[in-house]
Every structure is written in C-alpha cells, then in structure tokens.
C-alpha cells in the first residue's frame, strides 16, 4: 500500500466504496488522515464499517463542514450528465474534489523516492481502445527484461494498493477518461495516447469533452516523453501541441497502417511489420505477423505504442521483440479460447463499441460473428468496412432483432442468448474460419459486465466442443 500523507489528523471524505474508494480510504488512514466514508449501497457501507471506518451520509446538510477534501470514485458523475449531489455540495462548501489517481501522484511526489539512485518512473496509458492491452504489454515487456514493474489503475490493482516502488521501479497505469478528468495531479514520466473514438459521451458532455479529459494527462503534468497515436485527427492535434519543432523527440508518434516520416521519432506498423525511425533513419524493426498474442491491425497499434514506451524507458529493440513473443494477450481482448477442426474461437468481449468491434472484424479473414447487446449512441454504420469479413452474424441480446436490422447486406440470425449463438456458430463454422465474439455493444442488458459475457462465451465454446 502507498500511504497518502499530508492530511494527518484531518477528516477526508470518500464517496463511493468500490475497489478504488476503499483502497483510497485505507491509504489515507495509513498516512494519518481520518477518512469518513459514504456509499448509497448499504452493503458497501457495511463492509467499510466492518473495517472500522467512520460512515457518514456525506449528502446531508452540514456533513462536509469538517472535511478537508473529498475523494470521489471514478464511477460517480462529477459534471455531466449532472453532478452528483455530494460533489455539488463540496463545490458549494469550497471543499476540493479529487480521486485516487490524484492522491497517488501527490503521494509519489512527497515520498522518499527522490533519495534513490534511480527514482521510480510512471507510465500512464489512456485512449479509447487498446489501453488495457497496451498497458499490460508494457508491463510484460518490462518484467521480461528484468525491470521491476507494477500494473495498476483501471486494470489490475487499485493504484494505491500497489507496493511503494523501489530502485528503478516502474508503475504502469491504465487510466480511463473518468480517472484523468478529475485527478488534481497528473505527472507521469511517460504518457501514452492510443486513439480516440466516440465513447462515454454522456459522461463528458460530447466528444470534445471526452477528448479534453484524455488530453489532461498530457497538459497537466508535462511528461518527459509522450507517445501519441496519430491515426485520428485528435492524436495529430495533440502531438502537434506537444512538439516544439519537427525534430522534437520528446514526442513519439505511432501509427498502424501509415508510414510516418520526418526528422522526429516515429514507430509505425504496415503489412505486419513494426518499424522505428529516429532522426531520419531506421533503428529497429519487428515482424509482428508471428506474434500470436497480438493479432490484427488494432493490436499492431497497441504493439507500436508499447514498443515506443519501452524504448523511452531505455529498453533495446531485441529485448522488446523477445517479450512480444511471450505475451499471451488479455482475457476478453482478442483472446484465443479454443481451436478445433480448423476453426479458431476468439473472445473479444471488450469490443463494446463500434470502433473496437470493427478492428476485431478486420483482424480475421472469414468470421462467424457473435454480436449484439445494449447498443450505444451513433448506430452501427461504422462497422461497414468490416462486414465483408463476416460469413454470418449471430445476434444476441434483448434488442437482437433491432440490432440485426442495423447490419444490412449480411446474413444475420436472431439468437438472443449466448448459448444459442455459440451452438449455431460452432455448427456452421468451416475450417479456416473464426468464431468471434465482438459485440459492438455494452453487456448490461444480459450481463453484469463484459467480463461475465466473455466468460459465458468461453464456457459455451468449451461445452460445444466437448
């Protein structure tokens, strides 16, 4: 645990008692603060109370009168579509609002780490798609190279639950827009922006607000190195804003599909080959086609971003390449769960929006596609470039019929349940085809989260294959 100092003897409000809220409360208590906790869920309050924490309804009048700062969990809206009532009360009372990410960076700056010969470094990864895989891949590369590394944030452990990093240690953080939007301190050594596509628009008041939340990671703390995906206009804008000259190698531009040129530092993938250019010459290359854990152009973009971050931390191209080959991928993200009769079964349940599902479709030549769920705003028209890869769609979810109507030009069978979809896809699949779960929709109409959906798919596949 990382103790959060600076609030000794002061009451600190903690709103939301999920993983991040409870870990923040423990870290504050370890640093000498007196946390006062609230969650609308009585079970969550009971669990926190069992640990000896003070429980207080922070929404009642006067509850924040003796509170120095309010720490808010990422799932709680603080601005759009409407501020949570407790957050609004904190504003009115002049109580600063922060989150566990802000506390982490504050704690890291106040610790004794500056006395180390090689102080710890932080790599923070954000973006719409691929940030989990990119973060895990950076962590895997560092660990494989013998560098002490911890993975936390929106993946793995809560950021304040990790061990204090030691000599030459690296903390790799995956950060969602919910986390970057509110943190009062954001000071990574290396910051990574993978890409941007429409998501969480209600939470950020539109695409501009969503991008602004991501941009804070780069604008607030001024990282030593910024790795920027430039396949969208927002990434190109961000890279331009951070660069002071064409040869400024504090910015590493990355792309999947576009050859990048110029005197600066670039990493790009084309036709399955990753290439690193610096100061106008090639300095590294990797054949990604044989890297089993990173299939498809979208994973090649993740590989470019992870490669660039590792290079910024001083690792060599051959070290990185060796680690790539031992990376097995993450559950629910282009995860191969079975192979039988020449058919490959892939769980990409994390493909909850159109952009990520499109990238999954484009990664395979002939797909038996299991899709559907709770559709997000904007419809499914963005999937059009990938539909030529679809042999047939098997649509699940309560809105399966309406979802299928959004898929013109391909055969679609209304299955509703995962059990029926997997059974039908497995029955009809032919050698060389891929049965792919890439829903292009949220899971909440049938599952608690995308993980449960992916686990159901995996279990149904194994049952179907006997």
């Amino acid at each position: 645990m990382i103790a959060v100092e600076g609030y000794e003897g002061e009451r600190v409000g903690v709103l939301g008692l999920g993983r991040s809220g409870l870990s923040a409360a423990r870290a504050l208590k370890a640093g000498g603060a007196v946390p006062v906790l609230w969650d609308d869920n009585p079970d969550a309050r009971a669990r926190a109370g069992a640990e000896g924490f003070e429980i207080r309804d922070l929404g009642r009048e006067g509850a924040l009168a003796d509170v120095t700062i309010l720490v808010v969990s990422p799932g709680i809206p603080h601005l759009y579509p409407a501020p949570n009532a407790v957050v609004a009360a904190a504003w009115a009372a002049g109580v600063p609002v922060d989150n566990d990410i802000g506390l982490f960076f504050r704690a890291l700056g106040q610790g004794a780490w500056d006395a180390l010969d090689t102080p710890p470094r932080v790599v923070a990864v954000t973006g719409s798609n691929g940030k989990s895989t990119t973060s895990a891949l950076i962590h895997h590369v560092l660990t494989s190279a013998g560098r002490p590394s911890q993975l936390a944030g929106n993946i793995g452990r809560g950021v304040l639950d990790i061990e204090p990093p030691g000599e030459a240690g690296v903390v790799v953080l995956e950060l969602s827009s919910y986390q970057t939007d509110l943190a009062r301190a954001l000071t990574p050594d290396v910051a990574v922006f993978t890409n941007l596509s429409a998501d969480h628009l209600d939470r950020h008041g539109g695409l501009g607000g969503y991008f602004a939340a991501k941009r804070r990671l780069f604008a607030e703390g001024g990282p030593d190195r910024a790795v920027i995906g430039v396949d969208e206009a927002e990434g190109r804008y961000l890279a331009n804003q951070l660069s002071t000259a064409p040869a400024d190698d504090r910015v590493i531009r990355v792309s999947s599909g576009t050859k990048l040129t110029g005197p600066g530092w670039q990493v790009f993938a084309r036709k399955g080959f990753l290439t690193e250019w610096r100061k106008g010459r090639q300095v590294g290359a990797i054949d990604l086609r044989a890297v089993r854990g990173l299939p498809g152009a979208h994973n090649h973009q993740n590989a470019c971003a992870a490669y660039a971050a590792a290079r910024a931390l001083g690792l060599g191209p051959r070290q990185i390449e060796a680690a790539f080959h031992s990376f097995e991928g993450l559950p629910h993200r282009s995860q191969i769960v079975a192979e039988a009769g020449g058919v490959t079964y892939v769980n990409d349940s994390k493909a909850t929006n159109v952009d990520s599902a499109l990238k999954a479709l484009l990664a395979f030549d002939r797909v038996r596609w299991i899709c559907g769920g709770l559709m997000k705003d904007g419809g499914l028209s963005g999937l059009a470039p990938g539909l030529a890869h679809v042999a047939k769609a098997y649509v699940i979810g309560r809105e399966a019929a309406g979802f299928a109507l959004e898929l013109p030009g391909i055969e679609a069978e209304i299955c509703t349940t995962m059990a029926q979809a997997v059974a039908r896809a497995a029955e009809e699949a032919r050698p060389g085809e891929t049965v792919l779960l890439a829903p292009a929709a949220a899971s909440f109409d049938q599952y608690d989260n995308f993980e449960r959906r992916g686990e159901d798919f995996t279990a149904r596949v194994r049952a179907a294959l006997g």
Side-chain angles (χ1 to χ4, degrees):
M1 177 192 297
I2 295 178
V4 177
E5 300 175 352
Y7 300 106
E8 290 81 358
E10 300 179 14
R11 280 181 164 74
V12 177
V14 178
L15 180 63
L17 301 179
R19 183 187 66 172
S20 66
L22 272 179
S23 67
R26 295 171 187 137
L28 285 159
K29 184 176 181 180
V34 181
V36 291
L37 281 53
W38 184 252
D39 192 298
D40 290 338
N41 186 329
D43 292 337
R45 297 197 300 268
R47 287 192 294 270
E51 292 191 32
F53 287 112
E54 178 183 345
I55 306 299
R56 178 192 298 183
D57 183 354
L58 296 174
R60 64 176 171 77
E61 187 174 353
L64 298 173
D66 61 348
V67 169
T68 300
I69 187 170
L70 177 67
V71 179
V72 178
S73 294
I76 297 173
H78 58 271
L79 186 55
Y80 301 112
N84 179 274
V86 177
V87 173
W91 294 349
V95 175
V97 179
D98 204 349
N99 63 12
D100 63 324
I101 302 301
L103 294 181
F104 165 79
F105 280 110
R106 173 177 171 142
L108 202 64
Q110 293 176 337
W113 294 287
D114 55 356
L116 299 173
D117 291 335
T118 306
R121 305 182 75 183
V122 178
V123 180
V125 181
T126 195
S128 295
N129 299 310
K131 57 185 179 292
S132 295
T133 297
T134 300
S135 301
L137 184 55
I138 294 169
H139 172 63
H140 176 77
V141 169
L142 289 166
T143 302
S144 298
R147 293 280 295 271
S149 174
Q150 298 181 79
L151 180 64
N154 202 44
I155 185 175
R157 303 166 70 186
V159 67
L160 293 169
D161 282 336
I162 66 173
E163 297 302 317
E167 186 76 28
V170 180
V171 178
V172 182
L173 300 180
E174 179 197 336
L175 299 181
S176 72
S177 59
Y178 294 3
Q179 294 169 310
T180 58
D181 198 21
L182 190 60
R184 296 175 72 89
L186 286 168
T187 54
D189 298 281
V190 180
V192 180
F193 176 84
T194 58
N195 51 57
L196 193 86
S197 60
D199 208 356
H200 308 305
L201 301 188
D202 60 335
R203 178 66 181 264
H204 297 290
L207 186 61
Y210 177 51
F211 176 55
K214 302 286 189 185
R215 184 178 179 273
R216 290 191 76 246
L217 181 63
F218 303 85
E220 295 295 317
D224 295 335
R225 281 257 158 67
V227 177
I228 309 293
V230 294
D231 289 333
E232 295 88 29
E234 290 85 358
R236 294 189 289 274
Y237 165 83
L238 182 57
N240 184 268
Q241 287 278 298
L242 296 172
S243 300
T244 59
D248 185 355
D249 67 0
R250 293 174 303 171
V251 176
I252 309 175
R253 292 168 171 83
V254 302
S255 173
S256 175
T258 300
K259 180 179 180 180
L260 302 178
T261 59
W265 197 348
Q266 295 99 13
V267 179
F268 59 88
R270 293 185 73 221
K271 299 180 180 179
F273 287 88
L274 179 153
T275 304
E276 177 189 6
W277 281 80
R278 193 172 186 185
K279 297 180 180 178
R281 66 185 185 90
Q282 181 176 321
V283 295
I286 298 175
D287 183 353
L288 296 174
R289 297 172 300 177
V291 179
R292 184 174 174 80
L294 296 167
H298 61 306
N299 274 312
H300 293 176
Q301 183 184 59
N302 300 334
C304 288
Y307 177 98
R311 292 287 283 141
L313 293 170
L315 273 66
R318 298 285 74 82
Q319 288 177 293
I320 301 169
E321 181 176 14
F324 277 8
H325 281 283
S326 61
F327 182 67
E328 296 182 353
L330 288 178
H332 318 299
R333 298 162 177 89
S334 296
Q335 177 194 18
I336 297 174
V337 298
E339 292 177 290
V343 178
T344 303
Y345 296 80
V346 176
N347 167 20
D348 203 345
S349 183
K350 185 60 171 65
T352 59
N353 59 38
V354 165
D355 185 65
S356 56
L358 172 61
K359 290 173 180 175
L361 290 175
L362 293 173
F364 306 100
D365 291 331
R366 188 167 171 82
V367 175
R368 299 282 171 176
W369 180 31
I370 298 176
C371 57
L374 195 62
M375 278 197 293
K376 296 185 177 182
D377 293 341
L380 304 178
S381 60
L383 290 166
L387 296 184
H389 292 237
V390 176
K392 184 176 177 180
Y394 305 82
V395 189
I396 64 173
R398 295 183 203 161
E399 302 173 352
F403 196 101
L405 291 174
E406 297 269 343
L407 303 173
I410 65 170
E411 183 182 358
E413 181 175 335
I414 308 302
C415 294
T416 308
T417 67
M418 184 70 74
Q420 184 176 351
V422 169
R424 293 289 295 137
E427 178 184 339
E428 296 184 346
R430 298 293 178 263
E433 295 183 339
T434 299
V435 174
L436 170 68
L437 171 65
S443 60
F444 305 123
D445 60 331
Q446 292 182 310
Y447 301 93
D448 289 340
N449 50 50
F450 73 84
E451 291 95 341
R452 299 289 86 76
R453 178 171 59 189
E455 290 164 2
D456 190 23
F457 170 77
T458 301
R460 301 294 181 181
V461 167
R462 289 173 179 165
L465 299 180

